[in-house]
Coordinates of all heavy atoms in Angstrom, one line a residue:
M1 N 0.8 -1.2 0.0 CA 0.0 0.0 0.0 C 0.9 1.3 0.0 O 0.5 2.3 -0.6 CB -1.0 0.0 1.2 CG -2.0 1.1 1.1 SD -3.4 1.0 2.1 CE -3.8 -0.6 2.5
D2 N 2.0 1.2 0.6 CA 3.0 2.3 0.6 C 3.4 2.7 -0.8 O 3.4 3.9 -1.1 CB 4.2 2.0 1.5 CG 3.9 1.9 2.9 OD1 2.9 2.4 3.4 OD2 4.7 1.2 3.6
R3 N 3.6 1.8 -1.6 CA 4.0 2.1 -3.0 C 2.9 2.8 -3.7 O 3.1 3.8 -4.4 CB 4.3 0.8 -3.7 CG 4.7 1.0 -5.2 CD 5.1 -0.3 -5.8 NE 5.1 -0.3 -7.3 CZ 6.2 0.0 -8.0 NH1 7.4 0.2 -7.4 NH2 6.2 0.0 -9.3
V4 N 1.6 2.4 -3.6 CA 0.5 3.0 -4.2 C 0.4 4.5 -3.7 O 0.2 5.4 -4.5 CB -0.8 2.3 -4.0 CG1 -2.0 3.1 -4.3 CG2 -0.8 1.0 -4.7
T5 N 0.4 4.7 -2.4 CA 0.3 6.0 -1.8 C 1.4 6.9 -2.3 O 1.2 8.1 -2.6 CB 0.4 5.9 -0.2 OG1 -0.6 4.9 0.2 CG2 0.1 7.2 0.4
R6 N 2.6 6.4 -2.3 CA 3.8 7.2 -2.8 C 3.6 7.6 -4.2 O 3.8 8.7 -4.6 CB 5.1 6.4 -2.6 CG 6.3 7.2 -3.0 CD 7.6 6.4 -2.7 NE 7.6 5.0 -3.0 CZ 7.8 4.5 -4.3 NH1 8.0 5.3 -5.3 NH2 7.7 3.2 -4.5
L7 N 3.2 6.6 -5.1 CA 3.0 6.9 -6.5 C 1.9 7.9 -6.7 O 2.0 8.8 -7.6 CB 2.8 5.7 -7.3 CG 3.9 4.7 -7.4 CD1 3.5 3.4 -8.1 CD2 5.1 5.3 -8.3
A8 N 0.8 7.8 -5.9 CA -0.4 8.6 -6.1 C -0.1 10.1 -5.7 O -0.8 11.0 -6.2 CB -1.5 8.1 -5.2
S9 N 0.9 10.3 -4.9 CA 1.2 11.7 -4.5 C 2.3 12.4 -5.3 O 2.7 13.5 -5.1 CB 1.6 11.7 -3.0 OG 2.8 11.0 -2.8
Q10 N 2.9 11.7 -6.3 CA 4.0 12.2 -7.1 C 3.6 13.2 -8.2 O 4.4 13.9 -8.8 CB 4.8 11.1 -7.7 CG 5.6 10.3 -6.6 CD 6.5 9.2 -7.2 OE1 6.2 8.8 -8.3 NE2 7.5 8.8 -6.4
K11 N 2.3 13.2 -8.6 CA 1.8 14.1 -9.7 C 0.4 14.5 -9.4 O -0.3 13.9 -8.6 CB 1.9 13.3 -11.0 CG 2.0 14.2 -12.2 CD 2.5 13.5 -13.4 CE 2.5 14.5 -14.5 NZ 2.9 13.9 -15.8
A12 N -0.1 15.6 -10.0 CA -1.4 16.1 -9.7 C -2.5 15.1 -10.0 O -3.5 15.0 -9.3 CB -1.6 17.4 -10.5
V13 N -2.3 14.3 -11.1 CA -3.3 13.3 -11.4 C -2.6 12.0 -11.7 O -1.6 12.0 -12.5 CB -4.2 13.7 -12.7 CG1 -5.1 12.5 -13.1 CG2 -4.9 14.9 -12.4
V14 N -3.0 10.9 -11.0 CA -2.4 9.6 -11.1 C -3.5 8.6 -11.4 O -4.5 8.6 -10.7 CB -1.6 9.2 -9.9 CG1 -1.0 7.8 -10.0 CG2 -0.5 10.2 -9.6
I15 N -3.3 7.8 -12.4 CA -4.3 6.8 -12.8 C -3.6 5.4 -12.8 O -2.6 5.2 -13.4 CB -4.9 7.1 -14.2 CG1 -5.5 8.5 -14.3 CG2 -5.9 6.0 -14.6 CD1 -5.9 8.9 -15.7
F16 N -4.2 4.5 -12.0 CA -3.8 3.1 -12.0 C -4.8 2.4 -12.9 O -6.0 2.6 -12.8 CB -3.9 2.5 -10.6 CG -2.8 3.1 -9.7 CD1 -3.1 4.2 -8.9 CD2 -1.6 2.6 -9.6 CE1 -2.1 4.8 -8.1 CE2 -0.6 3.1 -8.8 CZ -0.9 4.2 -8.0
S17 N -4.3 1.7 -13.9 CA -5.0 1.2 -15.0 C -4.6 -0.2 -15.4 O -3.6 -0.7 -14.9 CB -4.8 2.2 -16.2 OG -5.4 1.8 -17.4
K18 N -5.3 -0.8 -16.4 CA -4.8 -2.0 -17.0 C -5.0 -1.7 -18.5 O -6.0 -1.1 -19.0 CB -5.7 -3.2 -16.7 CG -5.4 -3.7 -15.3 CD -6.1 -5.0 -15.0 CE -5.7 -5.6 -13.6 NZ -6.4 -6.8 -13.3
S19 N -4.0 -2.1 -19.3 CA -4.0 -1.8 -20.7 C -5.1 -2.4 -21.5 O -5.5 -1.9 -22.5 CB -2.6 -2.2 -21.3 OG -2.4 -3.6 -21.2
S20 N -5.7 -3.4 -21.0 CA -6.8 -4.1 -21.7 C -8.2 -3.6 -21.2 O -9.2 -4.1 -21.7 CB -6.7 -5.6 -21.5 OG -6.8 -5.9 -20.1
C21 N -8.3 -2.7 -20.3 CA -9.5 -2.2 -19.7 C -10.2 -1.1 -20.5 O -9.6 0.0 -20.6 CB -9.3 -1.8 -18.2 SG -10.6 -1.0 -17.4
C22 N -11.4 -1.3 -21.0 CA -12.0 -0.3 -21.8 C -12.4 0.9 -21.0 O -12.3 2.1 -21.5 CB -13.2 -0.8 -22.6 SG -14.5 -1.5 -21.5
M23 N -12.8 0.8 -19.7 CA -13.2 1.9 -18.9 C -11.9 2.7 -18.5 O -12.0 3.9 -18.4 CB -13.9 1.5 -17.6 CG -15.3 1.0 -17.9 SD -16.3 2.1 -18.8 CE -16.5 3.5 -17.7
C24 N -10.8 2.0 -18.4 CA -9.5 2.7 -18.1 C -9.2 3.6 -19.3 O -8.8 4.8 -19.1 CB -8.4 1.7 -17.9 SG -8.6 0.8 -16.4
H25 N -9.4 3.1 -20.5 CA -9.1 3.8 -21.7 C -10.0 5.1 -21.8 O -9.5 6.2 -22.1 CB -9.3 2.9 -22.9 CG -9.1 3.7 -24.2 ND1 -7.9 4.0 -24.7 CD2 -10.0 4.1 -25.1 CE1 -8.0 4.7 -25.8 NE2 -9.3 4.8 -26.1
A26 N -11.3 4.9 -21.5 CA -12.2 6.0 -21.5 C -11.8 7.1 -20.5 O -11.8 8.3 -20.9 CB -13.6 5.5 -21.2
I27 N -11.4 6.7 -19.3 CA -11.0 7.7 -18.3 C -9.7 8.4 -18.7 O -9.6 9.6 -18.6 CB -10.8 7.0 -16.9 CG1 -12.2 6.5 -16.4 CG2 -10.2 8.0 -15.9 CD1 -13.2 7.6 -16.2
K28 N -8.7 7.7 -19.2 CA -7.5 8.3 -19.7 C -7.8 9.3 -20.8 O -7.2 10.4 -20.9 CB -6.5 7.2 -20.2 CG -5.9 6.4 -19.0 CD -4.9 5.4 -19.4 CE -5.5 4.2 -20.1 NZ -4.6 3.1 -20.3
S29 N -8.6 8.9 -21.8 CA -9.0 9.8 -22.9 C -9.7 11.1 -22.4 O -9.4 12.1 -22.9 CB -9.9 9.1 -23.9 OG -9.3 8.0 -24.5
L30 N -10.5 10.9 -21.4 CA -11.2 12.1 -20.8 C -10.1 13.1 -20.3 O -10.2 14.3 -20.6 CB -12.2 11.7 -19.7 CG -12.7 12.9 -18.9 CD1 -13.6 13.8 -19.7 CD2 -13.5 12.3 -17.7
F31 N -9.2 12.6 -19.5 CA -8.2 13.5 -18.9 C -7.3 14.1 -20.0 O -7.0 15.3 -19.9 CB -7.4 12.7 -17.9 CG -8.1 12.6 -16.5 CD1 -8.6 11.4 -16.2 CD2 -8.2 13.7 -15.7 CE1 -9.3 11.3 -14.9 CE2 -8.9 13.6 -14.5 CZ -9.4 12.4 -14.1
Y32 N -6.9 13.3 -21.0 CA -6.1 13.9 -22.1 C -6.9 15.0 -22.8 O -6.4 16.0 -23.1 CB -5.7 12.8 -23.1 CG -4.6 11.9 -22.6 CD1 -4.7 10.5 -22.7 CD2 -3.5 12.4 -21.9 CE1 -3.7 9.6 -22.3 CE2 -2.5 11.5 -21.4 CZ -2.6 10.1 -21.6 OH -1.7 9.3 -21.2
D33 N -8.2 14.7 -23.0 CA -9.1 15.7 -23.7 C -9.2 17.0 -22.9 O -9.4 18.1 -23.5 CB -10.5 15.1 -24.0 CG -10.4 14.1 -25.1 OD1 -9.4 14.0 -25.8 OD2 -11.4 13.3 -25.3
L34 N -9.1 16.9 -21.6 CA -9.2 18.1 -20.7 C -7.9 18.8 -20.6 O -7.8 19.8 -20.0 CB -9.7 17.7 -19.3 CG -11.1 17.1 -19.2 CD1 -11.4 16.6 -17.8 CD2 -12.1 18.2 -19.6
G35 N -6.8 18.3 -21.2 CA -5.5 18.9 -21.2 C -4.7 18.5 -20.0 O -3.6 19.1 -19.7
V36 N -5.0 17.4 -19.4 CA -4.3 16.9 -18.2 C -3.2 15.9 -18.7 O -3.5 15.1 -19.7 CB -5.2 16.2 -17.2 CG1 -4.5 15.5 -16.1 CG2 -6.3 17.1 -16.7
N37 N -2.1 15.9 -18.1 CA -1.0 15.0 -18.4 C -0.8 14.1 -17.2 O 0.1 14.3 -16.4 CB 0.3 15.7 -18.8 CG 1.4 14.8 -19.2 OD1 1.1 13.7 -19.7 ND2 2.6 15.2 -19.1
P38 N -1.7 13.0 -17.1 CA -1.6 12.2 -15.8 C -0.4 11.3 -15.9 O 0.1 10.9 -16.9 CB -2.9 11.4 -15.9 CG -3.2 11.3 -17.4 CD -2.7 12.6 -18.0
S39 N -0.1 10.9 -14.7 CA 0.9 9.8 -14.5 C 0.1 8.5 -14.6 O -0.9 8.3 -13.8 CB 1.6 9.9 -13.2 OG 2.5 8.8 -13.0
I40 N 0.4 7.6 -15.5 CA -0.4 6.4 -15.6 C 0.4 5.2 -15.3 O 1.6 5.0 -15.8 CB -0.9 6.2 -17.1 CG1 -1.9 7.4 -17.3 CG2 -1.7 4.9 -17.3 CD1 -2.4 7.5 -18.7
H41 N -0.1 4.3 -14.4 CA 0.6 3.1 -14.0 C -0.3 1.9 -14.5 O -1.4 1.7 -14.0 CB 0.8 3.0 -12.5 CG 1.6 4.2 -12.0 ND1 3.0 4.2 -12.1 CD2 1.2 5.3 -11.5 CE1 3.4 5.3 -11.6 NE2 2.4 6.0 -11.2
E42 N 0.2 1.2 -15.5 CA -0.5 0.0 -16.1 C -0.2 -1.2 -15.2 O 1.0 -1.7 -15.3 CB -0.1 -0.2 -17.5 CG -0.4 1.0 -18.5 CD -1.9 1.1 -18.8 OE1 -2.7 0.3 -18.3 OE2 -2.2 2.1 -19.5
L43 N -1.1 -1.6 -14.4 CA -0.8 -2.7 -13.5 C -0.5 -4.0 -14.2 O 0.3 -4.8 -13.6 CB -2.0 -2.9 -12.5 CG -2.4 -1.7 -11.7 CD1 -3.5 -2.0 -10.7 CD2 -1.2 -1.1 -10.9
D44 N -1.0 -4.2 -15.3 CA -0.8 -5.5 -16.0 C 0.6 -5.5 -16.7 O 1.1 -6.5 -17.2 CB -1.9 -5.8 -17.0 CG -2.1 -4.8 -18.1 OD1 -1.8 -3.6 -17.8 OD2 -2.7 -5.1 -19.1
E45 N 1.3 -4.3 -16.7 CA 2.6 -4.2 -17.3 C 3.7 -4.0 -16.2 O 4.9 -3.9 -16.6 CB 2.6 -3.1 -18.3 CG 1.7 -3.4 -19.5 CD 1.6 -2.2 -20.5 OE1 2.3 -1.2 -20.2 OE2 0.9 -2.3 -21.4
D46 N 3.3 -3.9 -15.0 CA 4.3 -3.6 -13.9 C 4.5 -4.9 -13.1 O 3.6 -5.6 -12.8 CB 3.6 -2.6 -13.0 CG 4.6 -2.1 -11.9 OD1 5.2 -2.9 -11.2 OD2 4.8 -0.9 -11.8
P47 N 5.8 -5.2 -12.9 CA 6.1 -6.5 -12.1 C 5.4 -6.5 -10.7 O 5.1 -7.6 -10.2 CB 7.6 -6.5 -12.0 CG 8.1 -5.4 -12.9 CD 7.0 -4.5 -13.2
K48 N 5.1 -5.4 -10.1 CA 4.5 -5.3 -8.8 C 3.0 -4.9 -9.0 O 2.3 -4.5 -8.0 CB 5.2 -4.3 -7.9 CG 6.6 -4.8 -7.6 CD 7.2 -4.0 -6.5 CE 8.6 -4.5 -6.2 NZ 9.0 -4.2 -5.0
G49 N 2.5 -5.1 -10.2 CA 1.1 -4.7 -10.5 C 0.0 -5.4 -9.7 O -0.9 -4.9 -9.2
R50 N 0.2 -6.7 -9.5 CA -0.7 -7.5 -8.7 C -0.8 -7.0 -7.2 O -1.9 -6.9 -6.7 CB -0.3 -9.0 -8.7 CG -1.3 -9.9 -8.2 CD -2.3 -10.2 -9.4 NE -3.2 -11.3 -9.0 CZ -4.4 -11.3 -9.2 NH1 -5.0 -10.3 -10.0 NH2 -5.2 -12.2 -8.8
E51 N 0.4 -6.7 -6.7 CA 0.5 -6.2 -5.3 C -0.2 -4.9 -5.2 O -1.0 -4.6 -4.3 CB 2.0 -6.1 -5.0 CG 2.3 -5.5 -3.6 CD 3.8 -5.3 -3.5 OE1 4.6 -6.2 -3.8 OE2 4.2 -4.3 -3.0
M52 N 0.0 -4.0 -6.2 CA -0.6 -2.7 -6.2 C -2.2 -2.8 -6.4 O -2.9 -2.1 -5.8 CB -0.1 -1.8 -7.3 CG 1.4 -1.3 -7.0 SD 2.0 0.0 -8.1 CE 2.1 -0.9 -9.6
E53 N -2.6 -3.8 -7.2 CA -4.0 -4.0 -7.4 C -4.7 -4.4 -6.0 O -5.8 -3.8 -5.7 CB -4.3 -5.1 -8.4 CG -5.7 -5.3 -8.8 CD -5.9 -6.2 -9.9 OE1 -4.9 -6.8 -10.5 OE2 -7.1 -6.5 -10.3
K54 N -4.1 -5.2 -5.3 CA -4.6 -5.6 -4.0 C -4.6 -4.4 -3.0 O -5.6 -4.3 -2.3 CB -3.8 -6.8 -3.4 CG -4.0 -8.1 -4.1 CD -3.1 -9.2 -3.6 CE -3.3 -10.5 -4.4 NZ -2.5 -11.5 -3.9
A55 N -3.6 -3.6 -3.1 CA -3.5 -2.4 -2.2 C -4.7 -1.4 -2.6 O -5.3 -0.9 -1.7 CB -2.2 -1.7 -2.4
L56 N -4.9 -1.3 -3.9 CA -6.1 -0.4 -4.3 C -7.4 -1.0 -3.8 O -8.3 -0.2 -3.4 CB -6.1 -0.3 -5.8 CG -4.9 0.6 -6.4 CD1 -4.8 0.3 -7.9 CD2 -5.1 2.0 -6.1
Q57 N -7.5 -2.3 -3.8 CA -8.8 -2.9 -3.3 C -8.9 -2.6 -1.8 O -10.0 -2.4 -1.3 CB -8.8 -4.4 -3.6 CG -9.1 -4.6 -5.1 CD -8.9 -6.1 -5.5 OE1 -8.2 -6.8 -4.9 NE2 -9.6 -6.5 -6.6
R58 N -7.8 -2.7 -1.1 CA -7.8 -2.4 0.3 C -8.2 -1.0 0.6 O -8.8 -0.6 1.7 CB -6.5 -2.8 1.0 CG -6.3 -4.3 1.2 CD -5.1 -4.6 2.1 NE -3.9 -4.1 1.7 CZ -3.0 -4.7 0.8 NH1 -3.3 -5.9 0.3 NH2 -1.9 -4.1 0.5
L59 N -7.8 -0.1 -0.3 CA -8.2 1.3 -0.2 C -9.7 1.6 -0.5 O -10.2 2.7 -0.3 CB -7.3 2.2 -1.1 CG -5.9 2.4 -0.6 CD1 -5.1 3.1 -1.7 CD2 -5.8 3.2 0.7
G60 N -10.4 0.6 -1.0 CA -11.8 0.7 -1.3 C -12.1 0.7 -2.8 O -13.3 1.0 -3.2
C61 N -11.2 0.5 -3.7 CA -11.4 0.5 -5.1 C -12.0 -0.9 -5.5 O -11.3 -1.9 -5.3 CB -10.2 0.8 -5.9 SG -9.5 2.4 -5.6
N62 N -13.2 -0.9 -6.0 CA -13.8 -2.2 -6.4 C -14.7 -1.9 -7.6 O -15.7 -1.4 -7.4 CB -14.6 -2.8 -5.3 CG -15.0 -4.2 -5.6 OD1 -14.4 -4.8 -6.5 ND2 -16.0 -4.7 -4.9
P63 N -14.2 -2.2 -8.8 CA -13.0 -2.9 -9.2 C -11.8 -2.0 -8.9 O -11.9 -0.8 -8.8 CB -13.2 -3.2 -10.7 CG -14.1 -2.1 -11.1 CD -15.0 -1.8 -10.0
A64 N -10.6 -2.6 -8.9 CA -9.4 -1.9 -8.6 C -9.0 -0.9 -9.7 O -8.3 0.1 -9.3 CB -8.3 -2.9 -8.4
V65 N -9.4 -1.1 -10.9 CA -9.1 -0.1 -11.9 C -10.3 0.3 -12.7 O -11.2 -0.5 -12.8 CB -8.0 -0.7 -12.9 CG1 -6.7 -0.9 -12.2 CG2 -8.4 -1.9 -13.6
P66 N -10.4 1.5 -13.2 CA -9.4 2.5 -13.1 C -9.5 3.2 -11.7 O -10.6 3.4 -11.2 CB -9.8 3.6 -14.1 CG -11.2 3.4 -14.3 CD -11.5 1.9 -14.1
A67 N -8.4 3.4 -11.1 CA -8.3 4.1 -9.8 C -7.6 5.5 -10.1 O -6.5 5.5 -10.6 CB -7.5 3.3 -8.8
V68 N -8.3 6.6 -9.7 CA -7.8 7.9 -10.1 C -7.6 8.7 -8.8 O -8.4 8.7 -7.9 CB -8.9 8.7 -10.9 CG1 -8.4 10.1 -11.2 CG2 -9.2 7.9 -12.2
F69 N -6.4 9.2 -8.7 CA -6.0 10.1 -7.6 C -5.8 11.5 -8.2 O -5.1 11.7 -9.2 CB -4.7 9.6 -7.0 CG -4.8 8.4 -6.2 CD1 -4.8 7.1 -6.8 CD2 -4.9 8.4 -4.8 CE1 -4.9 6.0 -6.1 CE2 -5.0 7.2 -4.1 CZ -5.0 6.0 -4.7
I70 N -6.4 12.5 -7.5 CA -6.3 13.9 -7.9 C -5.8 14.6 -6.7 O -6.4 14.6 -5.6 CB -7.6 14.5 -8.4 CG1 -8.1 13.8 -9.7 CG2 -7.4 16.0 -8.7 CD1 -9.4 14.2 -10.2
G71 N -4.6 15.2 -6.8 CA -4.0 15.9 -5.7 C -3.7 15.0 -4.6 O -3.8 15.4 -3.4
G72 N -3.3 13.8 -4.9 CA -3.0 12.8 -3.9 C -4.2 12.1 -3.2 O -4.0 11.2 -2.4
R73 N -5.4 12.6 -3.6 CA -6.6 12.0 -2.9 C -7.3 11.1 -3.9 O -7.5 11.3 -5.1 CB -7.5 13.2 -2.6 CG -8.7 12.9 -1.7 CD -9.5 14.1 -1.4 NE -10.8 13.9 -2.0 CZ -11.5 14.8 -2.6 NH1 -11.0 16.0 -2.8 NH2 -12.6 14.5 -3.2
L74 N -7.7 9.9 -3.3 CA -8.4 8.9 -4.1 C -9.8 9.4 -4.5 O -10.6 9.7 -3.6 CB -8.5 7.6 -3.3 CG -9.3 6.5 -4.0 CD1 -8.6 6.0 -5.3 CD2 -9.4 5.3 -3.0
I75 N -10.0 9.5 -5.8 CA -11.3 9.8 -6.3 C -12.1 8.6 -6.6 O -13.3 8.6 -6.5 CB -11.2 10.8 -7.5 CG1 -10.4 12.0 -7.2 CG2 -12.6 11.2 -8.0 CD1 -10.9 12.8 -6.0
N76 N -11.4 7.5 -7.0 CA -12.0 6.2 -7.1 C -12.4 5.9 -8.5 O -11.6 5.9 -9.4 CB -13.2 6.0 -6.1 CG -13.3 4.6 -5.7 OD1 -12.8 3.7 -6.3 ND2 -13.9 4.4 -4.5
S77 N -13.6 5.5 -8.7 CA -14.0 4.7 -9.9 C -14.3 5.6 -11.1 O -14.5 6.8 -11.0 CB -15.2 3.9 -9.6 OG -16.3 4.7 -9.4
A78 N -14.5 5.0 -12.3 CA -14.9 5.6 -13.5 C -16.3 6.3 -13.3 O -16.5 7.4 -13.8 CB -15.0 4.6 -14.6
N79 N -17.2 5.7 -12.6 CA -18.5 6.3 -12.3 C -18.3 7.6 -11.6 O -19.0 8.6 -11.9 CB -19.4 5.4 -11.5 CG -19.9 4.2 -12.4 OD1 -19.9 4.3 -13.6 ND2 -20.4 3.2 -11.7
T80 N -17.5 7.6 -10.6 CA -17.3 8.9 -9.8 C -16.7 10.0 -10.7 O -17.1 11.1 -10.6 CB -16.4 8.6 -8.6 OG1 -16.9 7.5 -7.8 CG2 -16.2 9.8 -7.7
I81 N -15.7 9.6 -11.5 CA -15.0 10.6 -12.4 C -16.1 11.1 -13.4 O -16.1 12.4 -13.6 CB -13.8 10.0 -13.1 CG1 -12.7 9.6 -12.1 CG2 -13.3 10.9 -14.2 CD1 -12.2 10.7 -11.3
M82 N -16.8 10.3 -14.0 CA -17.8 10.7 -15.0 C -18.9 11.6 -14.3 O -19.3 12.6 -14.9 CB -18.4 9.6 -15.7 CG -17.4 8.8 -16.6 SD -16.5 9.8 -17.7 CE -17.6 10.2 -18.9
S83 N -19.3 11.2 -13.1 CA -20.3 12.0 -12.4 C -19.8 13.4 -12.1 O -20.5 14.4 -12.2 CB -20.8 11.3 -11.1 OG -21.4 10.1 -11.4
L84 N -18.5 13.5 -11.6 CA -17.9 14.8 -11.3 C -17.8 15.6 -12.6 O -18.0 16.8 -12.6 CB -16.5 14.5 -10.7 CG -16.4 14.0 -9.3 CD1 -15.0 13.6 -8.9 CD2 -16.9 15.1 -8.3
H85 N -17.4 15.0 -13.7 CA -17.3 15.7 -15.0 C -18.7 16.2 -15.4 O -18.8 17.4 -15.8 CB -16.7 14.8 -16.0 CG -16.5 15.5 -17.3 ND1 -15.8 16.6 -17.5 CD2 -16.9 15.1 -18.6 CE1 -15.8 17.0 -18.8 NE2 -16.5 16.1 -19.4
L86 N -19.7 15.4 -15.4 CA -21.0 15.8 -15.8 C -21.6 16.9 -14.9 O -22.4 17.8 -15.4 CB -21.9 14.6 -15.9 CG -21.6 13.6 -17.0 CD1 -22.5 12.4 -16.9 CD2 -21.7 14.3 -18.4
S87 N -21.3 16.9 -13.6 CA -21.8 17.9 -12.7 C -21.0 19.2 -12.7 O -21.4 20.2 -12.1 CB -21.8 17.4 -11.3 OG -20.5 17.3 -10.8
G88 N -19.9 19.2 -13.5 CA -19.0 20.4 -13.6 C -18.0 20.6 -12.4 O -17.4 21.6 -12.3
S89 N -17.9 19.5 -11.6 CA -17.0 19.6 -10.5 C -15.6 19.1 -10.7 O -14.7 19.4 -10.0 CB -17.6 18.7 -9.3 OG -18.8 19.1 -9.0
L90 N -15.4 18.4 -11.8 CA -14.1 17.8 -12.1 C -13.0 18.9 -12.5 O -11.9 18.9 -11.9 CB -14.2 16.8 -13.2 CG -12.9 16.0 -13.6 CD1 -12.3 15.3 -12.4 CD2 -13.1 15.1 -14.7
I91 N -13.4 19.8 -13.3 CA -12.4 20.8 -13.8 C -11.9 21.7 -12.6 O -10.7 21.9 -12.5 CB -13.0 21.6 -15.0 CG1 -13.0 20.7 -16.2 CG2 -12.1 22.9 -15.2 CD1 -13.6 21.3 -17.4
P92 N -12.8 22.2 -11.7 CA -12.3 22.9 -10.6 C -11.4 22.1 -9.7 O -10.4 22.6 -9.2 CB -13.5 23.4 -9.8 CG -14.6 23.3 -10.8 CD -14.3 22.3 -11.8
M93 N -11.7 20.8 -9.6 CA -10.8 19.9 -8.8 C -9.4 19.8 -9.4 O -8.4 19.8 -8.7 CB -11.5 18.6 -8.7 CG -10.9 17.6 -7.7 SD -11.8 16.0 -7.7 CE -13.3 16.5 -6.9
L94 N -9.4 19.7 -10.7 CA -8.2 19.6 -11.5 C -7.4 20.9 -11.4 O -6.1 20.9 -11.2 CB -8.4 19.2 -12.9 CG -9.0 17.8 -13.2 CD1 -9.4 17.6 -14.6 CD2 -7.9 16.8 -12.8
K95 N -8.0 22.0 -11.4 CA -7.4 23.3 -11.3 C -6.8 23.4 -9.9 O -5.6 23.9 -9.7 CB -8.4 24.5 -11.5 CG -8.7 24.6 -13.0 CD -9.7 25.8 -13.2 CE -10.0 26.0 -14.6 NZ -11.1 27.0 -14.8
D96 N -7.5 23.1 -8.9 CA -7.0 23.1 -7.5 C -5.8 22.3 -7.3 O -4.9 22.6 -6.5 CB -8.1 22.7 -6.5 CG -9.2 23.7 -6.4 OD1 -9.1 24.9 -6.8 OD2 -10.3 23.4 -5.8
A97 N -5.7 21.1 -8.0 CA -4.6 20.2 -7.8 C -3.4 20.7 -8.7 O -2.3 20.1 -8.6 CB -5.0 18.8 -8.2
G98 N -3.6 21.7 -9.5 CA -2.5 22.1 -10.4 C -2.4 21.3 -11.7 O -1.3 21.3 -12.3
A99 N -3.4 20.5 -12.0 CA -3.3 19.6 -13.2 C -3.6 20.4 -14.5 O -3.1 20.0 -15.5 CB -4.3 18.5 -13.0
I100 N -4.4 21.4 -14.4 CA -4.7 22.3 -15.5 C -4.7 23.8 -15.0 O -4.9 24.0 -13.8 CB -6.1 22.0 -16.2 CG1 -7.2 22.0 -15.2 CG2 -6.0 20.7 -16.9 CD1 -8.6 21.7 -15.9
W101 N -4.5 24.7 -15.9 CA -4.4 26.1 -15.5 C -5.5 26.9 -16.1 O -5.7 28.0 -15.7 CB -3.1 26.6 -15.9 CG -2.0 26.0 -15.2 CD1 -1.5 26.3 -14.0 CD2 -1.3 24.8 -15.5 NE1 -0.5 25.5 -13.6 CE2 -0.4 24.5 -14.5 CE3 -1.3 23.9 -16.6 CZ2 0.5 23.4 -14.5 CZ3 -0.5 22.8 -16.6 CH2 0.4 22.6 -15.6
L102 N -6.2 26.5 -17.2 CA -7.2 27.4 -17.9 C -8.5 27.2 -17.3 O -8.9 26.2 -16.8 CB -7.2 27.0 -19.4 CG -5.9 27.2 -20.1 CD1 -6.0 26.8 -21.5 CD2 -5.4 28.7 -20.0

């Protein structure tokens, strides 16, 4: 869990993902479209990916991916991210974290 916490705090937006996950792809595309340059950790390509996936589940991510951290804070699932975006709350959150400036 320490590794996940450390990685999650290294950049304004951090996404834990799997390269074969369609919801992960949708969330990454959303952030790119908003002008965010997130740090992405593909769990299926990382030798410690399985360990990180279990740590994310212990943090409350179910399913474990996509797991999104903004400003070091776990935002959680694709549903949460999309709800924040549709309600207009995501962009101010990204600005506060320093992920976007406009």
Side-chain angles (χ1 to χ4, degrees):
M1 191 165 332
D2 291 338
R3 178 178 165 92
V4 168
T5 306
R6 183 175 43 80
L7 291 171
S9 65
Q10 289 181 340
K11 201 159 181 189
V13 176
V14 178
I15 301 172
F16 291 91
S17 173
K18 285 189 177 177
S19 60
S20 61
C21 170
C22 63
M23 289 309 294
C24 295
H25 176 75
I27 293 299
K28 290 183 282 190
S29 294
L30 171 65
F31 281 104
Y32 288 135
D33 289 347
L34 293 173
V36 176
N37 185 23
S39 177
I40 298 175
H41 300 280
E42 299 289 356
L43 300 184
D44 56 338
E45 296 173 1
D46 189 305
K48 295 193 178 202
R50 193 83 171 139
E51 178 185 316
M52 289 191 290
E53 185 173 359
K54 288 177 183 176
L56 289 165
Q57 288 173 331
R58 286 193 301 274
L59 287 172
C61 298
N62 189 20
V65 294
V68 178
F69 289 79
I70 299 176
R73 195 175 112 223
L74 176 62
I75 304 303
N76 213 336
S77 70
N79 285 343
T80 305
I81 295 298
M82 294 310 283
S83 294
L84 288 169
H85 182 54
L86 292 173
S87 72
S89 302
L90 182 60
I91 289 176
M93 189 180 291
L94 292 169
K95 286 180 182 176
D96 289 344
I100 55 175
W101 295 271
L102 301 175

